[in-house]
Amino acid sequence: MQFWNKTIETMPRKEIEQLQLRLLKELVTRIYEKSHYYHTLMKEVGVHPSDIISLEDIVKLPTMNKTDLRDNYPDRLIIADPEDIIRYHVSSGTTGKPTVVGYTKNDIENWSESLARSFTSFGLGKRDVIQVSNGYGLFSGGLGMHYGAEKLGAAVVPASTGGTKRQIELIKDLKVTSIACTPSYLLHMAEVAESMGVDFRNDTRLGSAILGAEPWSENTRRHIEDWMGIKAQNCYGASELSGPLFTECNEQDGVHVWGDLCLVEVIDPKTGEHVGEGERGELVFTMLRREALPIIRYRIGDISEITWERCACGRTHPRLQRVAGRVDDMIIIRGINVFPSQVEHVLGEIEEVTQHYMILVDSDGALDKMTVQVELDPEAFTDNILTLRAIRSKVAGALKDTLNVRVDVELMEPGSLPRFEEKAKRVLDRRVRM
Amino acid sequence: MPKRHVIKQLSIFVNNEPGRLAKIARIMKEEGIDIYAFNIAEASGFGVFRAIVRDPDIAFQKLKDRDLVVKETEVIAIPMEDRPGGLFEAAAVLGEVGINIEYGYAYSGKEGAIFFIRVNDTESAINTLLNHGIRLLKEGDL
């Protein structure tokens, strides 16, 4: 097993936490002294840097979210001196003002270090040729991957997005061994390659893909791996946290979150209190070494869980499970949290139905009633009503097993449910609020 | 030999919601499909529309091209004589040899009532019925 920085990557948990506490204290002191915004905020909630004595004291600090970044557009949250800023990335503002993230030299360095460790953890190194097919530009995906791959010492093919046929030629001709892109783009690429008569297994040296920037499932991973004969690695990040930051190692058993760079908490989205280790909740990130734009207790909106259990690869840092959903997407049915992504996962396992579905939530007296409408796979259609009923029961049973909520299932005609081109709105909550 | 007595039925999957039957009926009309007999089986949430039509293979392709989920299924057409016991004979014969009638529906044909049945083993059912002297209709007789 190769390591990029073995001392740090295999450091005992206790030492990681001691390091986190030292860095947290420094960070809090820095923002208290340098940021008008944080100074005022900390005064308001009555917390002083000297109140941070243990890691648990982090809960004394206020949380922040995307709105705080937007409201302080463009650079009111940036605390570094202007001459120390060496780059800006700007997120597209689909739902309001854009958000601006500034970086110092050290910020870029730590970001690249994080990715170099991650790339090494699934076998990449300086002999590799990495094609970066994430967008370059204001979006942090392309350049982030690029700097990480360069730091690793690999050869980078900065392909960016688009020109799929050319991308496939490059993979062949430059003997590309790994590609960074979104899962949906990779699937598109695989289809185009097939139409060009290019077989990824025999005609290229592609061995892995670094996939992220959109939600994807284990089913999709298996599909990609079987189809293309490569390892598909999950990558986690967000523009506010820098960009793509962490990936899974060879074990594919959770994303390694480097504790010396980032402190992740998991909270109950309703109460804001910490949940137990291994329990699912909303992720809250603190970037411990950020210089330009402090990210402190940032509520990113993703729902997942972390474990500190030592990974089979020997790394000791906390591991993040696949994101189960977004806080905004969560529905509460009879007191149980349900995510559309869970429904999607269950449906993906049943071949008689398609991935086109809708979730309807209604009031049934004082209770909630959840209905999943799913389109029947035309191949599974039969004249026999009993067989169709059995398919419906199979779907309902599988949903109940996963969600712990009783679900009514309606089989639908293919093509009869809405199609979504951009952000899918698959939940129709029709409950009567008292 | 028994194949000649197989009647092709079209089975179409439908959502059980207002306007769905009208949609299928409209498509049938637009495609000039002549329906002899039909039946709707409903199971909460969805249904199966079954129809006996003129030129079923052509109709099948037309409906498929209109993106309906359609399958061809085999049924048997038994002409019903207008006397007590007509249905009993056919049902009893099949019951004796262990053939199960999954469903059936009737239609007033040109020369009297016709009973369409769907069984679990079409070929054996046709043989058995013919061997017992029960008359069956062919596609051209409808």
Side-chain angles (χ1 to χ4, degrees):
Chain A
M1 175 57 72
Q2 290 289 310
F3 291 89
W4 178 258
N5 190 337
K6 190 169 184 182
T7 319
I8 289 201
E9 290 172 49
T10 60
M11 193 182 251
R13 176 175 180 174
K14 220 174 167 172
E15 286 176 39
I16 296 172
E17 287 180 334
Q18 280 165 0
L19 181 57
Q20 288 183 324
L21 178 60
R22 180 171 68 76
L23 291 167
L24 181 66
K25 284 179 175 173
E26 287 171 13
L27 175 66
V28 173
T29 308
R30 199 160 66 237
I31 56 167
Y32 190 77
E33 285 167 0
K34 297 187 89 169
S35 163
H36 173 71
Y37 174 83
Y38 276 107
H39 191 91
T40 316
L41 196 61
M42 285 170 69
K43 281 250 157 123
E44 265 173 31
V45 299
V47 57
H48 187 265
S50 62
D51 294 329
I52 308 296
I53 296 157
S54 73
L55 270 187
E56 285 70 48
D57 292 326
I58 194 167
V59 300
K60 293 176 181 166
L61 298 167
T63 58
M64 63 189 289
N65 59 32
K66 206 172 184 85
T67 314
D68 297 309
L69 294 183
R70 278 201 201 110
D71 291 349
N72 289 286
Y73 178 87
D75 57 1
R76 269 178 290 175
L77 290 182
I78 289 180
I79 60 169
D81 295 330
E83 65 261 37
D84 291 330
I85 304 282
I86 63 162
R87 197 194 294 173
Y88 289 108
H89 281 292
V90 182
S91 82
S92 52
T94 46
T95 51
K97 268 191 212 159
T99 53
V100 176
V101 180
Y103 303 78
T104 65
K105 198 164 187 297
N106 283 334
D107 288 338
I108 300 282
E109 175 58 30
N110 286 327
W111 183 11
S112 310
E113 162 79 17
S114 179
L115 283 173
R117 287 184 204 168
S118 299
F119 294 163
T120 309
S121 76
F122 61 93
L124 295 187
K126 56 198 295 181
R127 284 190 184 80
D128 282 282
V129 182
I130 303 177
Q131 182 153 318
V132 178
S133 304
N134 298 109
Y136 279 66
L138 289 174
F139 172 60
S140 55
L143 280 168
M145 290 291 188
H146 184 109
Y147 274 62
E150 269 195 6
K151 173 98 182 160
L152 184 73
V156 185
V157 182
S160 195
T161 51
T164 308
K165 283 190 178 171
R166 183 140 182 252
Q167 298 239 10
I168 294 161
E169 295 293 340
L170 289 172
I171 292 173
K172 250 173 64 181
D173 299 344
L174 297 177
K175 301 182 175 59
V176 169
T177 56
S178 190
I179 184 168
C181 59
T182 61
S184 52
Y185 188 61
L186 188 66
L187 284 167
H188 173 64
M189 210 179 255
E191 276 173 15
V192 174
E194 245 179 29
S195 74
M196 291 164 68
V198 174
D199 174 9
F200 274 101
R201 285 170 193 270
N202 297 313
D203 303 335
T204 77
R205 298 216 184 146
L206 201 67
S208 63
I210 308 148
L211 304 174
E214 67 186 19
W216 62 303
S217 65
E218 280 303 312
N219 294 323
T220 308
R221 182 200 322 257
R222 280 198 293 275
H223 178 57
I224 290 173
E225 292 192 337
D226 292 347
W227 189 9
M228 304 181 69
I230 60 170
K231 284 210 110 183
Q233 301 296 121
N234 191 17
C235 177
Y236 187 82
S239 60
E240 303 92 316
L241 308 182
S242 283
L245 265 176
F246 313 113
T247 74
E248 298 162 318
C249 69
N250 241 337
E251 303 291 328
Q252 296 187 333
D253 191 15
V255 163
H256 289 268
V257 176
W258 310 118
D260 58 315
L261 300 174
C262 170
L263 193 160
V264 53
E265 303 166 74
V266 187
I267 63 168
D268 180 324
K270 277 171 288 179
T271 65
E273 281 173 23
H274 283 173
V275 302
E277 193 179 319
E279 279 179 43
R280 184 177 281 183
E282 183 183 348
L283 302 178
V284 180
F285 286 94
T286 299
M287 299 303 289
L288 293 167
R289 294 182 193 260
R290 264 307 214 9
E291 291 182 344
L293 176 71
I295 289 293
I296 290 150
R297 303 204 75 211
Y298 187 77
R299 293 179 71 156
I300 203 148
D302 285 336
I303 300 278
S304 184
E305 60 200 80
I306 59 164
T307 174
W308 274 90
E309 202 180 296
R310 186 193 180 93
C311 182
C313 73
R315 290 175 179 80
T316 47
H317 293 242
R319 275 173 296 141
L320 183 63
Q321 293 310 305
R322 202 177 270 284
V323 170
R326 301 267 315 155
V327 172
D328 319 337
D329 297 339
M330 187 174 81
I331 12 173
I332 302 170
I333 310 285
R334 302 183 186 191
I336 295 171
N337 298 344
V338 171
F339 297 97
S341 56
Q342 292 175 291
V343 173
E344 194 162 329
H345 178 79
V346 170
L347 298 178
E349 303 266 289
I350 300 173
E351 60 179 20
E352 291 94 340
V353 295
T354 68
Q355 289 278 55
H356 296 290
Y357 70 96
M358 285 291 291
I359 299 171
L360 313 178
V361 191
D362 294 284
S363 302
D364 182 11
L367 292 172
D368 305 320
K369 183 168 155 285
M370 176 172 164
T371 307
V372 169
Q373 295 181 319
V374 61
E375 289 183 6
L376 182 73
D377 185 317
E379 294 296 314
F381 173 61
T382 151
D383 175 64
N384 192 326
I385 292 275
L386 291 179
T387 311
L388 294 173
R389 278 210 184 118
I391 294 172
R392 193 183 55 190
S393 305
K394 182 175 167 186
V395 176
L399 286 169
K400 171 90 175 33
D401 286 348
T402 301
L403 308 177
N404 290 315
V405 172
R406 201 179 70 79
V407 179
D408 282 346
V409 172
E410 289 180 9
L411 295 180
M412 307 294 286
E413 266 180 77
S416 65
L417 291 178
R419 299 294 191 265
F420 302 94
E421 285 184 6
E422 285 176 18
K423 205 169 155 44
K425 282 206 180 84
R426 297 196 192 277
V427 181
L428 211 57
D429 197 336
R430 307 185 288 199
R431 278 178 287 195
V432 183
R433 303 274 174 213
M434 294 300 169
Chain B
M1 162 65 169
K3 267 281 171 208
R4 294 199 301 134
H5 293 95
V6 168
I7 306 288
K8 282 180 184 163
Q9 169 191 254
L10 302 184
S11 304
I12 302 161
F13 184 75
V14 276
N15 291 349
N16 186 7
E17 56 190 31
R20 242 36 216 191
L21 175 62
K23 183 192 130 189
I24 289 176
R26 195 188 66 236
I27 291 176
M28 295 262 199
K29 175 175 168 254
E30 285 167 2
E31 297 294 340
I33 296 170
D34 188 2
I35 306 173
Y36 295 140
F38 75 90
N39 149 282
I40 299 168
E42 185 267 338
S44 58
F46 64 89
V48 178
F49 178 89
R50 297 167 175 142
I52 309 290
V53 302
R54 187 194 299 275
D55 299 327
D57 290 338
I58 297 169
F60 171 77
Q61 200 49 53
K62 283 179 173 171
L63 296 179
K64 227 181 154 60
D65 292 344
R66 296 291 300 262
D67 290 328
L68 289 183
V69 179
V70 56
K71 273 227 156 94
E72 280 187 321
T73 39
E74 297 181 338
V75 294
I76 301 168
I78 309 172
M80 289 283 121
E81 285 174 46
D82 189 13
R83 61 172 174 82
L87 174 61
F88 168 73
E89 270 172 42
V93 164
L94 293 176
E96 267 168 38
V97 294
I99 291 171
N100 183 34
I101 301 176
E102 289 174 1
Y103 57 81
Y105 53 102
Y107 142 70
S108 59
K110 278 174 278 186
E111 288 138 31
I114 302 171
F115 190 47
F116 295 102
I117 57 168
R118 164 84 176 162
V119 294
N120 57 344
D121 183 345
T122 311
E123 201 158 317
S124 307
I126 291 171
N127 279 327
T128 308
L129 292 168
L130 290 176
N131 287 339
H132 280 78
I134 293 170
R135 198 164 78 89
L136 300 179
L137 297 182
K138 291 172 233 140
E139 218 137 72
D141 302 333
L142 298 175

